[in-house]
């Protein structure tokens, strides 16, 4: 595990974008596992900037996103499909048919989970997985649990996750109760994993995940086992180390 300490959110975003950019330059057909939320927005902005300057080409890249709320369609402003288009895909030359995200409108849980697992298998796995970190140590929407969930599955969101995400909705009751998420096994199978974390509210989760025992009660702790895991975090997020 590598830790890249940065001054602040902007610095963190540039460092993470540098790693993703190197990945895309070295392997233009990369499969990128992508995340939503506040943490990666600056990284996407930096990648868009370099794309606009002519330094990056996403035409052969495939994206496979971590998660989606159950019950929100692609055009819902709080859906993760909408987020990805708005914050990244609409601004670079990635092909729409090469972007993948669980279908939150498919209520057939078994069918949707096996479809998404098949998508990841057919792509031959993920070259680089970008992650954020939940305040409770979740990755994707793999919430603290008694076991590590393997493949794509439907989760019931914890109250702390709903509260953390309510800032995107009018109130906590509007946050969906369920989400589809890639499993822990899908995530740690990625050849390279990069996590971005910023701010004091992530400090305890970083300490628990990377300096404590490996346990499904802190899902991100499994990344301690990964052979190519890089945490890019700012001073505030690393303040408890
Ligand atoms: C989002 C995701 C989540 C977030 C995490 C942190 O696709 O999978 O695990 O990365 O909840 O969210 P932010 O970055 O908003 O603090």
């Amino acid at each position: 595990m590598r830790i890249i300490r940065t001054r602040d959110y902007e610095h963190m975003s540039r460092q993470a974008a540098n790693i993703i950019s190197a990945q895309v330059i070295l392997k233009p057909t990369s499969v990128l596992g992508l995340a939503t939320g506040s943490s990666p927005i600056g990284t996407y902005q930096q990648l868009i900037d370099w794309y606009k300057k002519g330094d990056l080409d996403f035409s052969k890249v495939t994206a496979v996103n971590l998660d989606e709320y159950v019950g929100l369609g692609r055009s819902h402003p709080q859906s993760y499909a909408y987020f990805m288009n708005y914050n990244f895909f609409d601004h670079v030359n990635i092909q729409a048919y090469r972007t993948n995200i669980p279908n939150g409108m498919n209520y057939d849980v078994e069918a949707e989970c096996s479809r998404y697992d098949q998508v990841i298998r057919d792509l031959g796995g993920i070259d680089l997985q970008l992650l954020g970190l939940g305040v409770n140590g979740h990755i994707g929407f793999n919430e603290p649990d008694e076991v590590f969930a393997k493949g794509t599955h439907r989760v019931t969101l914890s109250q702390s996750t709903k509260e953390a995400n309510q800032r995107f909705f009018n109130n906590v009751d509007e946050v969906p109760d369920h989400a589809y998420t890639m499993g822990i096994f899908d995530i740690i199978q990625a050849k390279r994993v990069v996590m971005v974390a910023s701010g004091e509210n992530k400090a305890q989760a970083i300490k628990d995940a990377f300096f404590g025992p490996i346990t499904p009660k802190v899902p991100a702790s499994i990344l301690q086992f990964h052979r190519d895991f890089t945490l890019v975090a700012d001073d505030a997020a690393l303040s408890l180390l």
Side-chain angles (χ1 to χ4, degrees):
M1 166 176 166
R2 230 176 267 120
I3 300 182
I4 298 179
R5 180 185 275 268
T6 67
R7 291 183 294 278
D8 52 24
Y9 181 85
E10 283 69 34
H11 189 205
M12 172 200 79
S13 302
R14 275 199 309 282
Q15 298 294 64
N18 264 305
I19 299 171
I20 297 169
S21 155
Q23 172 73 42
V24 171
I25 291 169
L26 291 171
K27 186 179 178 192
T29 57
S30 288
V31 176
L32 300 182
L34 297 178
T36 61
S38 309
S39 308
I41 289 181
T43 305
Y44 295 142
Q45 282 169 352
Q46 183 61 75
L47 292 171
I48 291 166
D49 190 40
W50 287 331
Y51 163 73
K52 288 194 170 148
K53 289 185 169 131
D55 291 340
L56 281 177
D57 176 14
F58 292 93
S59 62
K60 297 192 184 75
V61 164
T62 298
V64 55
N65 258 82
L66 282 167
D67 40 19
E68 180 60 284
Y69 288 117
V70 174
L72 301 193
R74 301 185 65 83
S75 56
H76 190 289
Q78 263 69 48
S79 75
Y80 285 171
Y82 187 98
F83 174 103
M84 288 310 298
N85 289 332
Y86 183 81
N87 288 293
F88 190 41
F89 298 151
D90 285 351
H91 310 284
V92 296
N93 64 339
I94 195 163
Q95 310 286 316
Y97 74 89
R98 288 207 181 106
T99 65
N100 300 281
I101 194 155
N103 177 4
M105 295 309 284
N106 187 354
Y107 292 99
D108 183 339
V109 176
E110 216 170 293
E112 183 54 20
C113 295
S114 55
R115 180 194 74 81
Y116 208 62
D117 282 337
Q118 192 61 44
V119 165
I120 299 168
R121 266 198 301 275
D122 289 348
L123 290 170
I126 295 166
D127 290 304
L128 184 153
Q129 176 67 55
L130 177 64
L131 294 175
L133 177 66
V135 287
N136 61 2
H138 74 211
I139 47 176
F141 270 136
N142 292 279
E143 297 282 46
D145 204 345
E146 297 304 316
V147 290
F148 288 111
K150 283 198 259 172
T152 305
H153 57 291
R154 192 189 76 148
V155 286
T156 302
L157 299 182
S158 69
Q159 190 58 24
S160 79
T161 296
K162 289 183 72 173
E163 279 162 15
N165 288 4
Q166 71 168 308
R167 65 192 190 279
F168 301 112
F169 295 81
N170 291 323
N171 57 61
V172 72
D173 298 327
E174 278 186 16
V175 183
D177 292 324
H178 299 101
Y180 287 124
T181 182
M182 244 186 232
I184 292 287
F185 188 66
D186 300 319
I187 294 172
I188 63 159
Q189 289 272 92
K191 295 190 186 84
R192 170 179 286 172
V193 179
V194 177
M195 175 181 280
V196 279
S198 167
E200 237 172 281
N201 68 330
K202 298 294 169 75
Q204 188 63 50
I206 286 186
K207 188 174 175 207
D208 295 345
F210 307 121
F211 297 87
I214 294 167
T215 162
K217 294 195 164 67
V218 186
S221 64
I222 193 89
L223 294 165
Q224 292 183 41
F225 278 142
H226 198 279
R227 280 198 298 188
D228 190 347
F229 170 56
T230 304
L231 170 65
V232 188
D234 64 13
D235 281 333
L238 297 175
S239 58
L240 290 182
L241 303 189

